Amino acid sequence: MERRENWSWNSALLIGAVSATATAAIILAKPKDPTFHLISITLTSFKLNLPVLDAELILTVHVTNPNIVPIYYSSSSMSIFYDGALLGSAQVQAGSQPPKSCQILKLPARLDGIELAHHATKFLADLARREMVLDAEVDIEGNAKVLWWANRFKVHVDSHIVVDPVYLDVIDQENRSELELFLT
């Protein structure tokens, strides 16, 4: 004997609503690149290593997670370049950030005075016009967790920053971030 299933309008509406909700969730959950903005640079110490000075700084960075899931990231090191040469680095501590949130990070940084001495002519010219161009890059890896499912990601950030070398004010900046999501 053959058994027939009868579809009702309620079943069809339920299937349609579930399909629409799943489609909306996929569209809204599309990963978005985080944003980074250097707010300030604070000099914390000079270390005299004759004939040059090493400088320690605190970089205050505003980070926005525009995604609908929290992220967890591992520690990393940001490279800081001046005139194409590695001038120093800043440490990014491991941490997390809630969904759709902003956060202020304080990154300890160290600049190598010997490397800066190799660019003394350019540095003195920058000092005289009170504009110093720095570039920075960092790769941050972590995971974004949705319920029981964690996706690994990697964010590469390139920054081009113009700083007043006298007062350490941030004059201008351009930050680009690129998110790579690993679906394994």
Side-chain angles (χ1 to χ4, degrees):
M1 210 176 195
E2 190 175 318
R3 188 172 168 208
R4 283 191 130 171
E5 298 277 334
N6 288 331
W7 285 89
S8 69
W9 280 105
N10 288 339
S11 298
L13 288 174
L14 180 63
I15 290 171
V18 169
S19 297
T21 302
T23 302
I26 289 169
I27 290 170
L28 291 175
K30 180 183 177 208
K32 298 169 187 75
D33 291 349
T35 59
F36 300 86
H37 184 79
L38 179 63
I39 297 173
S40 67
I41 302 170
T42 307
L43 182 65
T44 57
S45 74
F46 275 126
K47 292 188 178 175
L48 183 59
N49 294 331
L50 292 175
V52 293
L53 298 171
D54 286 339
E56 291 184 0
L57 312 164
I58 298 289
L59 307 178
T60 304
V61 179
H62 180 263
V63 182
T64 302
N65 174 14
N67 296 294
I68 61 172
V69 297
I71 58 170
Y72 305 89
Y73 51 91
S74 59
S75 61
S76 184
S77 181
M78 175 190 300
S79 299
I80 302 169
F81 299 92
Y82 176 66
D83 198 26
L86 181 63
L87 180 61
S89 63
Q91 299 306 308
V92 179
Q93 300 300 319
S96 65
Q97 187 162 348
K100 298 233 177 238
S101 67
C102 299
Q103 187 169 306
I104 301 292
L105 299 179
K106 302 258 185 200
L107 309 178
R110 174 173 279 192
L111 302 182
D112 182 2
I114 294 174
E115 188 58 45
L116 191 58
H118 288 116
H119 302 274
T121 305
K122 179 162 179 33
F123 179 69
L124 291 174
D126 288 349
L127 199 60
R129 66 185 171 97
R130 296 190 53 187
E131 275 192 13
M132 180 178 185
V133 176
L134 298 171
D135 292 301
E137 64 180 43
V138 64
D139 289 316
I140 300 171
E141 295 185 21
N143 64 58
K145 194 168 186 179
V146 180
L147 300 175
W148 63 89
W149 184 39
N151 276 339
R152 287 186 327 109
F153 68 86
K154 178 175 156 183
V155 176
H156 179 80
V157 181
D158 286 312
S159 299
H160 182 79
I161 303 161
V162 180
V163 176
D164 176 346
V166 176
Y167 293 112
L168 298 178
D169 292 332
V170 179
I171 298 168
D172 190 23
Q173 65 183 294
E174 179 183 336
N175 300 299
R176 290 187 337 262
S177 61
E178 184 177 318
L179 176 68
E180 184 179 355
L181 191 61
F182 302 103
L183 299 174
T184 57

